[in-house]
Amino acid sequence: MSNIYNFLNSVWLEILTENKQNKAFIPFLFLLITLPISMGLNNILLGIFVVTSFFYGRKINNKISLIILFPMLLFLWMSLSYFWSIDVQRTLQAIPKEIAFLLIPIAFWLIPTFSSEQKTKIIKFYSYTMTLYVVYYLVRAVVRFVLTKDISVFFYHGPDNDTDTGLVPRLLNAIHFSVYVAIAFFYFFIKEHKSKLEQLIATLLFVFVILLSSKNIIVIFVLLVLIQVFFYSKIANRLRLRNLTILLLLLGFVISFGKIKERFLVEFRTNSDKGISHNVALNKEKGINNISIADAWTKEKFHPADYFPGTAFRVYQFRMFTEFLNEEPIFLKGFGLNASLNKLLEKEKKYNLYPGYGTFNFHNQYVQNFAELGLIGFLLLMVILFINTKIAFKSKDFIHIAFAILMISLFLTESFLWRQRGVLFFILFYCLFNIKVNPQLEKK
């Protein structure tokens, strides 16, 4: 106990030391590490961080850089969409969820910029905290398995908000949480000299991302690991073959678990040639017809018994978007922030889908922006991602590169920024990585 106390005490003293140099250090850190907890707490900590920026922050330069200007412009455009929204009530309810796009950049404009050393420490504390969350959810899964003998407690999330049967709660979302954990993993993975504890943590986080069973994130995550090993590691030339062999064996072993394998097979079989398994009920329910990508894009009428796997459903949603572009005057301004629900429900009835499919958003951030905020909202998002990616590769900071690539990939399958926790995660790391101290000032 004394060792744990001494360790925690030294960590706290280190945090206090950094906070003396920048009074926003603790508020920012606490806001970042509590993202997986309730949104009520996140809102309180967001308020504390913003208030801190006004009371303790100081303007180093009155000029607002383009880095923070474009997120603010995106929020302004979201707010302006109220005036042409086809669902004013839903737009009005959604605007406060996006306010981090305005408040976080303003706070970073006011506070002294975090030094490179402080940024490294923020990432370190964040990564260790994510490890604690991972340990908690794994212990919770083990206890539930002992009580229920249900192997599904080790994978993904539950089917709805009221049925918390997965590895993480559905409100937290396995796909989103896998990105949180992936960033923490790369902090430990890229360290040149790892302690045994750090090696154990890196392995634990790697396995946890796989268990969360997000197909898109798993593919990009493993690709990033290989890129780091082959192109950014200092020992890459000597250990390429060995590292590749170990990674492929580990990935093959983990993916061989039934639940993860089944999630991949659902996509592969239903999106392959119809003659192979088009009508195979992979969800194991008699009478259910699994829809292929081809059918999702071309079929004129569906049946309530039709089941859309993830990729097929996203293709269907993109098809609906193209129809909206042809049928509705949304090209420039869109339907309005979060205002497309009624239009999707109309398509659900038109195509005779199972009730409920029409309540899902587009599950694609690029399409979501274009459909609800028009071409202008789409271009603002693309500029933000371009700035983030350009600075990431220019800096050669692999954690920043991983963040940039993960966001680009995640936005293809999730409307990540339409969730309050997603907005906070993205804009906090976006500002942390991209807003940097002038090298001459930092040297002084």
PDB file of all heavy atoms in Angstrom, residues 176 179-180 183 216-217 220 224 365-366 385 388-389 400-414 416-417 422 425-427 429-430:
ATOM      1  N   HIS A 176     -16.155   3.763 -30.821  1.00  0.00           N
ATOM      2  CA  HIS A 176     -15.544   5.013 -30.383  1.00  0.00           C
ATOM      3  C   HIS A 176     -14.471   4.758 -29.332  1.00  0.00           C
ATOM      4  O   HIS A 176     -13.383   5.343 -29.387  1.00  0.00           O
ATOM      5  CB  HIS A 176     -16.613   5.952 -29.829  1.00  0.00           C
ATOM      6  CG  HIS A 176     -17.636   6.347 -30.844  1.00  0.00           C
ATOM      7  ND1 HIS A 176     -18.654   7.256 -30.596  1.00  0.00           N
ATOM      8  CD2 HIS A 176     -17.811   5.980 -32.142  1.00  0.00           C
ATOM      9  CE1 HIS A 176     -19.394   7.403 -31.671  1.00  0.00           C
ATOM     10  NE2 HIS A 176     -18.906   6.641 -32.628  1.00  0.00           N
ATOM     11  N   VAL A 179     -11.022   3.727 -30.482  1.00  0.00           N
ATOM     12  CA  VAL A 179     -10.132   4.807 -30.907  1.00  0.00           C
ATOM     13  C   VAL A 179      -9.429   5.415 -29.698  1.00  0.00           C
ATOM     14  O   VAL A 179      -8.219   5.707 -29.747  1.00  0.00           O
ATOM     15  CB  VAL A 179     -10.921   5.893 -31.671  1.00  0.00           C
ATOM     16  CG1 VAL A 179     -10.006   7.061 -32.032  1.00  0.00           C
ATOM     17  CG2 VAL A 179     -11.540   5.315 -32.929  1.00  0.00           C
ATOM     18  N   TYR A 180     -10.163   5.613 -28.595  1.00  0.00           N
ATOM     19  CA  TYR A 180      -9.540   6.141 -27.378  1.00  0.00           C
ATOM     20  C   TYR A 180      -8.376   5.243 -26.958  1.00  0.00           C
ATOM     21  O   TYR A 180      -7.293   5.723 -26.621  1.00  0.00           O
ATOM     22  CB  TYR A 180     -10.540   6.193 -26.222  1.00  0.00           C
ATOM     23  CG  TYR A 180     -11.811   6.980 -26.438  1.00  0.00           C
ATOM     24  CD1 TYR A 180     -12.827   6.958 -25.493  1.00  0.00           C
ATOM     25  CD2 TYR A 180     -12.013   7.748 -27.579  1.00  0.00           C
ATOM     26  CE1 TYR A 180     -13.994   7.674 -25.664  1.00  0.00           C
ATOM     27  CE2 TYR A 180     -13.185   8.461 -27.766  1.00  0.00           C
ATOM     28  CZ  TYR A 180     -14.175   8.420 -26.800  1.00  0.00           C
ATOM     29  OH  TYR A 180     -15.340   9.124 -26.977  1.00  0.00           O
ATOM     30  N   ILE A 183      -5.125   5.247 -29.311  1.00  0.00           N
ATOM     31  CA  ILE A 183      -4.202   6.360 -29.085  1.00  0.00           C
ATOM     32  C   ILE A 183      -3.300   6.052 -27.895  1.00  0.00           C
ATOM     33  O   ILE A 183      -2.080   6.275 -27.938  1.00  0.00           O
ATOM     34  CB  ILE A 183      -4.973   7.668 -28.845  1.00  0.00           C
ATOM     35  CG1 ILE A 183      -5.787   8.057 -30.088  1.00  0.00           C
ATOM     36  CG2 ILE A 183      -4.007   8.798 -28.467  1.00  0.00           C
ATOM     37  CD1 ILE A 183      -4.973   8.345 -31.311  1.00  0.00           C
ATOM     38  N   ASN A 216     -13.555  -1.914 -38.945  1.00  0.00           N
ATOM     39  CA  ASN A 216     -12.840  -0.818 -39.581  1.00  0.00           C
ATOM     40  C   ASN A 216     -11.624  -0.415 -38.754  1.00  0.00           C
ATOM     41  O   ASN A 216     -10.503  -0.283 -39.276  1.00  0.00           O
ATOM     42  CB  ASN A 216     -13.784   0.370 -39.769  1.00  0.00           C
ATOM     43  CG  ASN A 216     -13.065   1.588 -40.310  1.00  0.00           C
ATOM     44  OD1 ASN A 216     -12.144   1.488 -41.094  1.00  0.00           O
ATOM     45  ND2 ASN A 216     -13.490   2.764 -39.864  1.00  0.00           N
ATOM     46  N   ILE A 217     -11.823  -0.231 -37.448  1.00  0.00           N
ATOM     47  CA  ILE A 217     -10.731   0.219 -36.584  1.00  0.00           C
ATOM     48  C   ILE A 217      -9.658  -0.854 -36.470  1.00  0.00           C
ATOM     49  O   ILE A 217      -8.457  -0.550 -36.445  1.00  0.00           O
ATOM     50  CB  ILE A 217     -11.270   0.599 -35.192  1.00  0.00           C
ATOM     51  CG1 ILE A 217     -12.259   1.767 -35.306  1.00  0.00           C
ATOM     52  CG2 ILE A 217     -10.123   0.984 -34.265  1.00  0.00           C
ATOM     53  CD1 ILE A 217     -11.690   3.001 -35.949  1.00  0.00           C
ATOM     54  N   ILE A 220      -7.448  -0.656 -39.661  1.00  0.00           N
ATOM     55  CA  ILE A 220      -6.602   0.539 -39.671  1.00  0.00           C
ATOM     56  C   ILE A 220      -5.584   0.486 -38.543  1.00  0.00           C
ATOM     57  O   ILE A 220      -4.418   0.870 -38.708  1.00  0.00           O
ATOM     58  CB  ILE A 220      -7.473   1.808 -39.549  1.00  0.00           C
ATOM     59  CG1 ILE A 220      -8.444   1.901 -40.736  1.00  0.00           C
ATOM     60  CG2 ILE A 220      -6.593   3.053 -39.490  1.00  0.00           C
ATOM     61  CD1 ILE A 220      -7.767   1.933 -42.085  1.00  0.00           C
ATOM     62  N   LEU A 224      -1.604   0.639 -38.986  1.00  0.00           N
ATOM     63  CA  LEU A 224      -0.766   1.651 -38.339  1.00  0.00           C
ATOM     64  C   LEU A 224       0.390   1.005 -37.575  1.00  0.00           C
ATOM     65  O   LEU A 224       1.508   1.528 -37.571  1.00  0.00           O
ATOM     66  CB  LEU A 224      -1.618   2.501 -37.386  1.00  0.00           C
ATOM     67  CG  LEU A 224      -2.518   3.551 -38.040  1.00  0.00           C
ATOM     68  CD1 LEU A 224      -3.505   4.120 -37.025  1.00  0.00           C
ATOM     69  CD2 LEU A 224      -1.673   4.673 -38.633  1.00  0.00           C
ATOM     70  N   GLN A 365     -19.421  10.450 -41.410  1.00  0.00           N
ATOM     71  CA  GLN A 365     -19.325  11.864 -41.050  1.00  0.00           C
ATOM     72  C   GLN A 365     -19.291  12.764 -42.266  1.00  0.00           C
ATOM     73  O   GLN A 365     -19.843  13.867 -42.259  1.00  0.00           O
ATOM     74  CB  GLN A 365     -18.077  12.105 -40.192  1.00  0.00           C
ATOM     75  CG  GLN A 365     -18.030  13.472 -39.542  1.00  0.00           C
ATOM     76  CD  GLN A 365     -19.165  13.678 -38.564  1.00  0.00           C
ATOM     77  OE1 GLN A 365     -19.297  12.964 -37.593  1.00  0.00           O
ATOM     78  NE2 GLN A 365     -20.002  14.681 -38.821  1.00  0.00           N
ATOM     79  N   TYR A 366     -18.670  12.313 -43.339  1.00  0.00           N
ATOM     80  CA  TYR A 366     -18.593  13.129 -44.550  1.00  0.00           C
ATOM     81  C   TYR A 366     -19.987  13.311 -45.163  1.00  0.00           C
ATOM     82  O   TYR A 366     -20.380  14.427 -45.531  1.00  0.00           O
ATOM     83  CB  TYR A 366     -17.650  12.465 -45.564  1.00  0.00           C
ATOM     84  CG  TYR A 366     -16.293  12.128 -45.002  1.00  0.00           C
ATOM     85  CD1 TYR A 366     -15.947  10.807 -44.697  1.00  0.00           C
ATOM     86  CD2 TYR A 366     -15.356  13.119 -44.758  1.00  0.00           C
ATOM     87  CE1 TYR A 366     -14.700  10.493 -44.180  1.00  0.00           C
ATOM     88  CE2 TYR A 366     -14.104  12.817 -44.240  1.00  0.00           C
ATOM     89  CZ  TYR A 366     -13.787  11.491 -43.947  1.00  0.00           C
ATOM     90  OH  TYR A 366     -12.555  11.188 -43.422  1.00  0.00           O
ATOM     91  N   LEU A 385      -9.623  18.424 -41.447  1.00  0.00           N
ATOM     92  CA  LEU A 385      -8.892  17.159 -41.532  1.00  0.00           C
ATOM     93  C   LEU A 385      -7.582  17.337 -42.311  1.00  0.00           C
ATOM     94  O   LEU A 385      -6.565  16.716 -41.973  1.00  0.00           O
ATOM     95  CB  LEU A 385      -9.760  16.099 -42.208  1.00  0.00           C
ATOM     96  CG  LEU A 385     -10.967  15.616 -41.410  1.00  0.00           C
ATOM     97  CD1 LEU A 385     -11.781  14.613 -42.224  1.00  0.00           C
ATOM     98  CD2 LEU A 385     -10.541  14.999 -40.091  1.00  0.00           C
ATOM     99  N   ASN A 388      -5.044  18.994 -39.990  1.00  0.00           N
ATOM    100  CA  ASN A 388      -4.596  18.036 -38.986  1.00  0.00           C
ATOM    101  C   ASN A 388      -3.616  17.019 -39.579  1.00  0.00           C
ATOM    102  O   ASN A 388      -2.562  16.736 -38.995  1.00  0.00           O
ATOM    103  CB  ASN A 388      -5.817  17.315 -38.403  1.00  0.00           C
ATOM    104  CG  ASN A 388      -5.453  16.356 -37.296  1.00  0.00           C
ATOM    105  OD1 ASN A 388      -4.715  16.689 -36.371  1.00  0.00           O
ATOM    106  ND2 ASN A 388      -5.967  15.140 -37.371  1.00  0.00           N
ATOM    107  N   THR A 389      -3.939  16.490 -40.751  1.00  0.00           N
ATOM    108  CA  THR A 389      -3.099  15.470 -41.377  1.00  0.00           C
ATOM    109  C   THR A 389      -1.778  16.058 -41.867  1.00  0.00           C
ATOM    110  O   THR A 389      -0.710  15.442 -41.707  1.00  0.00           O
ATOM    111  CB  THR A 389      -3.842  14.819 -42.555  1.00  0.00           C
ATOM    112  OG1 THR A 389      -5.118  14.337 -42.104  1.00  0.00           O
ATOM    113  CG2 THR A 389      -3.049  13.663 -43.124  1.00  0.00           C
ATOM    114  N   HIS A 400       0.393  11.563 -33.335  1.00  0.00           N
ATOM    115  CA  HIS A 400      -0.421  12.520 -34.094  1.00  0.00           C
ATOM    116  C   HIS A 400      -0.835  11.922 -35.439  1.00  0.00           C
ATOM    117  O   HIS A 400      -1.982  12.054 -35.869  1.00  0.00           O
ATOM    118  CB  HIS A 400       0.354  13.824 -34.293  1.00  0.00           C
ATOM    119  CG  HIS A 400      -0.457  14.936 -34.863  1.00  0.00           C
ATOM    120  ND1 HIS A 400       0.057  16.178 -35.143  1.00  0.00           N
ATOM    121  CD2 HIS A 400      -1.776  14.998 -35.229  1.00  0.00           C
ATOM    122  CE1 HIS A 400      -0.886  16.949 -35.645  1.00  0.00           C
ATOM    123  NE2 HIS A 400      -2.008  16.258 -35.719  1.00  0.00           N
ATOM    124  N   ILE A 401       0.101  11.240 -36.091  1.00  0.00           N
ATOM    125  CA  ILE A 401      -0.212  10.585 -37.371  1.00  0.00           C
ATOM    126  C   ILE A 401      -1.294   9.532 -37.177  1.00  0.00           C
ATOM    127  O   ILE A 401      -2.240   9.434 -37.967  1.00  0.00           O
ATOM    128  CB  ILE A 401       1.058   9.940 -37.961  1.00  0.00           C
ATOM    129  CG1 ILE A 401       2.043  11.023 -38.387  1.00  0.00           C
ATOM    130  CG2 ILE A 401       0.721   9.036 -39.149  1.00  0.00           C
ATOM    131  CD1 ILE A 401       3.403  10.500 -38.803  1.00  0.00           C
ATOM    132  N   ALA A 402      -1.168   8.740 -36.106  1.00  0.00           N
ATOM    133  CA  ALA A 402      -2.177   7.713 -35.817  1.00  0.00           C
ATOM    134  C   ALA A 402      -3.539   8.351 -35.573  1.00  0.00           C
ATOM    135  O   ALA A 402      -4.562   7.859 -36.071  1.00  0.00           O
ATOM    136  CB  ALA A 402      -1.752   6.894 -34.601  1.00  0.00           C
ATOM    137  N   PHE A 403      -3.560   9.448 -34.827  1.00  0.00           N
ATOM    138  CA  PHE A 403      -4.815  10.163 -34.570  1.00  0.00           C
ATOM    139  C   PHE A 403      -5.441  10.638 -35.878  1.00  0.00           C
ATOM    140  O   PHE A 403      -6.646  10.463 -36.105  1.00  0.00           O
ATOM    141  CB  PHE A 403      -4.549  11.355 -33.644  1.00  0.00           C
ATOM    142  CG  PHE A 403      -5.702  12.311 -33.514  1.00  0.00           C
ATOM    143  CD1 PHE A 403      -6.833  11.959 -32.790  1.00  0.00           C
ATOM    144  CD2 PHE A 403      -5.651  13.559 -34.114  1.00  0.00           C
ATOM    145  CE1 PHE A 403      -7.900  12.848 -32.673  1.00  0.00           C
ATOM    146  CE2 PHE A 403      -6.708  14.451 -34.006  1.00  0.00           C
ATOM    147  CZ  PHE A 403      -7.841  14.091 -33.281  1.00  0.00           C
ATOM    148  N   ALA A 404      -4.629  11.230 -36.755  1.00  0.00           N
ATOM    149  CA  ALA A 404      -5.144  11.767 -38.018  1.00  0.00           C
ATOM    150  C   ALA A 404      -5.733  10.660 -38.889  1.00  0.00           C
ATOM    151  O   ALA A 404      -6.842  10.791 -39.436  1.00  0.00           O
ATOM    152  CB  ALA A 404      -4.030  12.496 -38.765  1.00  0.00           C
ATOM    153  N   ILE A 405      -5.016   9.556 -39.025  1.00  0.00           N
ATOM    154  CA  ILE A 405      -5.481   8.458 -39.884  1.00  0.00           C
ATOM    155  C   ILE A 405      -6.704   7.774 -39.281  1.00  0.00           C
ATOM    156  O   ILE A 405      -7.655   7.426 -39.998  1.00  0.00           O
ATOM    157  CB  ILE A 405      -4.344   7.444 -40.110  1.00  0.00           C
ATOM    158  CG1 ILE A 405      -3.218   8.111 -40.919  1.00  0.00           C
ATOM    159  CG2 ILE A 405      -4.858   6.208 -40.845  1.00  0.00           C
ATOM    160  CD1 ILE A 405      -2.007   7.229 -41.132  1.00  0.00           C
ATOM    161  N   LEU A 406      -6.702   7.582 -37.969  1.00  0.00           N
ATOM    162  CA  LEU A 406      -7.860   6.964 -37.309  1.00  0.00           C
ATOM    163  C   LEU A 406      -9.113   7.814 -37.487  1.00  0.00           C
ATOM    164  O   LEU A 406     -10.210   7.282 -37.709  1.00  0.00           O
ATOM    165  CB  LEU A 406      -7.569   6.757 -35.821  1.00  0.00           C
ATOM    166  CG  LEU A 406      -6.666   5.575 -35.469  1.00  0.00           C
ATOM    167  CD1 LEU A 406      -6.227   5.657 -34.014  1.00  0.00           C
ATOM    168  CD2 LEU A 406      -7.380   4.249 -35.733  1.00  0.00           C
ATOM    169  N   MET A 407      -8.976   9.127 -37.406  1.00  0.00           N
ATOM    170  CA  MET A 407     -10.140  10.003 -37.571  1.00  0.00           C
ATOM    171  C   MET A 407     -10.674   9.950 -39.003  1.00  0.00           C
ATOM    172  O   MET A 407     -11.881   9.853 -39.230  1.00  0.00           O
ATOM    173  CB  MET A 407      -9.781  11.445 -37.197  1.00  0.00           C
ATOM    174  CG  MET A 407      -9.559  11.681 -35.717  1.00  0.00           C
ATOM    175  SD  MET A 407     -11.041  11.392 -34.693  1.00  0.00           S
ATOM    176  CE  MET A 407     -10.729   9.755 -34.090  1.00  0.00           C
ATOM    177  N   ILE A 408      -9.776  10.014 -39.974  1.00  0.00           N
ATOM    178  CA  ILE A 408     -10.197   9.940 -41.375  1.00  0.00           C
ATOM    179  C   ILE A 408     -10.937   8.637 -41.635  1.00  0.00           C
ATOM    180  O   ILE A 408     -11.972   8.600 -42.315  1.00  0.00           O
ATOM    181  CB  ILE A 408      -8.979  10.071 -42.308  1.00  0.00           C
ATOM    182  CG1 ILE A 408      -8.407  11.488 -42.228  1.00  0.00           C
ATOM    183  CG2 ILE A 408      -9.355   9.737 -43.748  1.00  0.00           C
ATOM    184  CD1 ILE A 408      -7.079  11.659 -42.954  1.00  0.00           C
ATOM    185  N   SER A 409     -10.421   7.552 -41.093  1.00  0.00           N
ATOM    186  CA  SER A 409     -11.038   6.236 -41.288  1.00  0.00           C
ATOM    187  C   SER A 409     -12.356   6.119 -40.532  1.00  0.00           C
ATOM    188  O   SER A 409     -13.358   5.642 -41.076  1.00  0.00           O
ATOM    189  CB  SER A 409     -10.068   5.152 -40.826  1.00  0.00           C
ATOM    190  OG  SER A 409     -10.686   3.890 -40.821  1.00  0.00           O
ATOM    191  N   LEU A 410     -12.357   6.552 -39.282  1.00  0.00           N
ATOM    192  CA  LEU A 410     -13.571   6.458 -38.462  1.00  0.00           C
ATOM    193  C   LEU A 410     -14.720   7.238 -39.077  1.00  0.00           C
ATOM    194  O   LEU A 410     -15.879   6.803 -39.040  1.00  0.00           O
ATOM    195  CB  LEU A 410     -13.277   6.972 -37.052  1.00  0.00           C
ATOM    196  CG  LEU A 410     -14.431   6.932 -36.049  1.00  0.00           C
ATOM    197  CD1 LEU A 410     -14.846   5.491 -35.761  1.00  0.00           C
ATOM    198  CD2 LEU A 410     -14.053   7.644 -34.756  1.00  0.00           C
ATOM    199  N   PHE A 411     -14.425   8.378 -39.665  1.00  0.00           N
ATOM    200  CA  PHE A 411     -15.473   9.215 -40.254  1.00  0.00           C
ATOM    201  C   PHE A 411     -16.139   8.545 -41.451  1.00  0.00           C
ATOM    202  O   PHE A 411     -17.231   8.938 -41.855  1.00  0.00           O
ATOM    203  CB  PHE A 411     -14.893  10.568 -40.686  1.00  0.00           C
ATOM    204  CG  PHE A 411     -14.548  11.479 -39.541  1.00  0.00           C
ATOM    205  CD1 PHE A 411     -13.978  12.717 -39.759  1.00  0.00           C
ATOM    206  CD2 PHE A 411     -14.786  11.093 -38.215  1.00  0.00           C
ATOM    207  CE1 PHE A 411     -13.664  13.564 -38.701  1.00  0.00           C
ATOM    208  CE2 PHE A 411     -14.469  11.920 -37.163  1.00  0.00           C
ATOM    209  CZ  PHE A 411     -13.906  13.161 -37.401  1.00  0.00           C
ATOM    210  N   LEU A 412     -15.495   7.519 -42.019  1.00  0.00           N
ATOM    211  CA  LEU A 412     -16.108   6.791 -43.129  1.00  0.00           C
ATOM    212  C   LEU A 412     -17.245   5.889 -42.663  1.00  0.00           C
ATOM    213  O   LEU A 412     -18.127   5.536 -43.451  1.00  0.00           O
ATOM    214  CB  LEU A 412     -15.052   5.944 -43.849  1.00  0.00           C
ATOM    215  CG  LEU A 412     -14.038   6.703 -44.705  1.00  0.00           C
ATOM    216  CD1 LEU A 412     -12.927   5.759 -45.141  1.00  0.00           C
ATOM    217  CD2 LEU A 412     -14.710   7.334 -45.915  1.00  0.00           C
ATOM    218  N   THR A 413     -17.218   5.488 -41.403  1.00  0.00           N
ATOM    219  CA  THR A 413     -18.214   4.527 -40.912  1.00  0.00           C
ATOM    220  C   THR A 413     -19.032   5.034 -39.733  1.00  0.00           C
ATOM    221  O   THR A 413     -19.972   4.356 -39.313  1.00  0.00           O
ATOM    222  CB  THR A 413     -17.524   3.222 -40.482  1.00  0.00           C
ATOM    223  OG1 THR A 413     -16.577   3.498 -39.441  1.00  0.00           O
ATOM    224  CG2 THR A 413     -16.803   2.578 -41.646  1.00  0.00           C
ATOM    225  N   GLU A 414     -18.703   6.210 -39.191  1.00  0.00           N
ATOM    226  CA  GLU A 414     -19.413   6.735 -38.030  1.00  0.00           C
ATOM    227  C   GLU A 414     -19.632   8.235 -38.166  1.00  0.00           C
ATOM    228  O   GLU A 414     -18.758   8.954 -38.662  1.00  0.00           O
ATOM    229  CB  GLU A 414     -18.609   6.476 -36.740  1.00  0.00           C
ATOM    230  CG  GLU A 414     -18.419   5.010 -36.393  1.00  0.00           C
ATOM    231  CD  GLU A 414     -19.715   4.334 -35.992  1.00  0.00           C
ATOM    232  OE1 GLU A 414     -20.495   4.930 -35.225  1.00  0.00           O
ATOM    233  OE2 GLU A 414     -19.959   3.203 -36.453  1.00  0.00           O
ATOM    234  N   PHE A 416     -19.192  10.469 -36.049  1.00  0.00           N
ATOM    235  CA  PHE A 416     -18.513  10.623 -34.759  1.00  0.00           C
ATOM    236  C   PHE A 416     -18.734  11.996 -34.153  1.00  0.00           C
ATOM    237  O   PHE A 416     -18.905  12.139 -32.938  1.00  0.00           O
ATOM    238  CB  PHE A 416     -17.017  10.362 -34.981  1.00  0.00           C
ATOM    239  CG  PHE A 416     -16.190  10.307 -33.735  1.00  0.00           C
ATOM    240  CD1 PHE A 416     -16.373   9.301 -32.803  1.00  0.00           C
ATOM    241  CD2 PHE A 416     -15.205  11.248 -33.495  1.00  0.00           C
ATOM    242  CE1 PHE A 416     -15.600   9.234 -31.655  1.00  0.00           C
ATOM    243  CE2 PHE A 416     -14.417  11.196 -32.357  1.00  0.00           C
ATOM    244  CZ  PHE A 416     -14.614  10.181 -31.438  1.00  0.00           C
ATOM    245  N   LEU A 417     -18.739  13.032 -34.974  1.00  0.00           N
ATOM    246  CA  LEU A 417     -18.845  14.402 -34.478  1.00  0.00           C
ATOM    247  C   LEU A 417     -20.273  14.804 -34.162  1.00  0.00           C
ATOM    248  O   LEU A 417     -20.512  15.927 -33.716  1.00  0.00           O
ATOM    249  CB  LEU A 417     -18.244  15.376 -35.497  1.00  0.00           C
ATOM    250  CG  LEU A 417     -16.777  15.149 -35.844  1.00  0.00           C
ATOM    251  CD1 LEU A 417     -16.305  16.178 -36.859  1.00  0.00           C
ATOM    252  CD2 LEU A 417     -15.901  15.186 -34.606  1.00  0.00           C
ATOM    253  N   GLY A 422     -17.793  12.473 -28.877  1.00  0.00           N
ATOM    254  CA  GLY A 422     -16.947  12.435 -30.064  1.00  0.00           C
ATOM    255  C   GLY A 422     -16.385  13.801 -30.406  1.00  0.00           C
ATOM    256  O   GLY A 422     -15.205  13.933 -30.770  1.00  0.00           O
ATOM    257  N   PHE A 425     -13.586  14.597 -27.840  1.00  0.00           N
ATOM    258  CA  PHE A 425     -12.365  13.827 -28.109  1.00  0.00           C
ATOM    259  C   PHE A 425     -11.612  14.409 -29.297  1.00  0.00           C
ATOM    260  O   PHE A 425     -10.396  14.638 -29.230  1.00  0.00           O
ATOM    261  CB  PHE A 425     -12.724  12.361 -28.374  1.00  0.00           C
ATOM    262  CG  PHE A 425     -11.548  11.509 -28.770  1.00  0.00           C
ATOM    263  CD1 PHE A 425     -10.726  10.958 -27.802  1.00  0.00           C
ATOM    264  CD2 PHE A 425     -11.263  11.275 -30.112  1.00  0.00           C
ATOM    265  CE1 PHE A 425      -9.630  10.176 -28.169  1.00  0.00           C
ATOM    266  CE2 PHE A 425     -10.183  10.495 -30.478  1.00  0.00           C
ATOM    267  CZ  PHE A 425      -9.363   9.945 -29.500  1.00  0.00           C
ATOM    268  N   PHE A 426     -12.322  14.663 -30.390  1.00  0.00           N
ATOM    269  CA  PHE A 426     -11.668  15.132 -31.606  1.00  0.00           C
ATOM    270  C   PHE A 426     -11.044  16.509 -31.408  1.00  0.00           C
ATOM    271  O   PHE A 426      -9.866  16.715 -31.712  1.00  0.00           O
ATOM    272  CB  PHE A 426     -12.659  15.178 -32.765  1.00  0.00           C
ATOM    273  CG  PHE A 426     -12.063  15.752 -34.026  1.00  0.00           C
ATOM    274  CD1 PHE A 426     -11.245  14.970 -34.827  1.00  0.00           C
ATOM    275  CD2 PHE A 426     -12.298  17.062 -34.387  1.00  0.00           C
ATOM    276  CE1 PHE A 426     -10.675  15.501 -35.986  1.00  0.00           C
ATOM    277  CE2 PHE A 426     -11.728  17.602 -35.538  1.00  0.00           C
ATOM    278  CZ  PHE A 426     -10.918  16.819 -36.344  1.00  0.00           C
ATOM    279  N   ILE A 427     -11.808  17.468 -30.885  1.00  0.00           N
ATOM    280  CA  ILE A 427     -11.309  18.844 -30.828  1.00  0.00           C
ATOM    281  C   ILE A 427     -10.238  19.011 -29.754  1.00  0.00           C
ATOM    282  O   ILE A 427      -9.329  19.835 -29.897  1.00  0.00           O
ATOM    283  CB  ILE A 427     -12.478  19.842 -30.619  1.00  0.00           C
ATOM    284  CG1 ILE A 427     -12.050  21.257 -30.987  1.00  0.00           C
ATOM    285  CG2 ILE A 427     -13.015  19.778 -29.207  1.00  0.00           C
ATOM    286  CD1 ILE A 427     -11.672  21.431 -32.424  1.00  0.00           C
ATOM    287  N   PHE A 429      -7.905  16.708 -28.892  1.00  0.00           N
ATOM    288  CA  PHE A 429      -6.650  16.223 -29.468  1.00  0.00           C
ATOM    289  C   PHE A 429      -6.229  17.067 -30.664  1.00  0.00           C
ATOM    290  O   PHE A 429      -5.033  17.285 -30.893  1.00  0.00           O
ATOM    291  CB  PHE A 429      -6.784  14.746 -29.869  1.00  0.00           C
ATOM    292  CG  PHE A 429      -6.464  13.796 -28.750  1.00  0.00           C
ATOM    293  CD1 PHE A 429      -7.452  13.004 -28.189  1.00  0.00           C
ATOM    294  CD2 PHE A 429      -5.179  13.697 -28.250  1.00  0.00           C
ATOM    295  CE1 PHE A 429      -7.162  12.132 -27.156  1.00  0.00           C
ATOM    296  CE2 PHE A 429      -4.872  12.825 -27.219  1.00  0.00           C
ATOM    297  CZ  PHE A 429      -5.865  12.043 -26.670  1.00  0.00           C
ATOM    298  N   TYR A 430      -7.198  17.541 -31.432  1.00  0.00           N
ATOM    299  CA  TYR A 430      -6.887  18.395 -32.580  1.00  0.00           C
ATOM    300  C   TYR A 430      -6.127  19.642 -32.131  1.00  0.00           C
ATOM    301  O   TYR A 430      -5.082  19.991 -32.706  1.00  0.00           O
ATOM    302  CB  TYR A 430      -8.188  18.786 -33.289  1.00  0.00           C
ATOM    303  CG  TYR A 430      -8.023  19.824 -34.373  1.00  0.00           C
ATOM    304  CD1 TYR A 430      -7.664  19.463 -35.668  1.00  0.00           C
ATOM    305  CD2 TYR A 430      -8.245  21.179 -34.108  1.00  0.00           C
ATOM    306  CE1 TYR A 430      -7.517  20.418 -36.670  1.00  0.00           C
ATOM    307  CE2 TYR A 430      -8.100  22.140 -35.102  1.00  0.00           C
ATOM    308  CZ  TYR A 430      -7.739  21.759 -36.374  1.00  0.00           C
ATOM    309  OH  TYR A 430      -7.590  22.715 -37.364  1.00  0.00           O
TER     310      TYR A 430
END
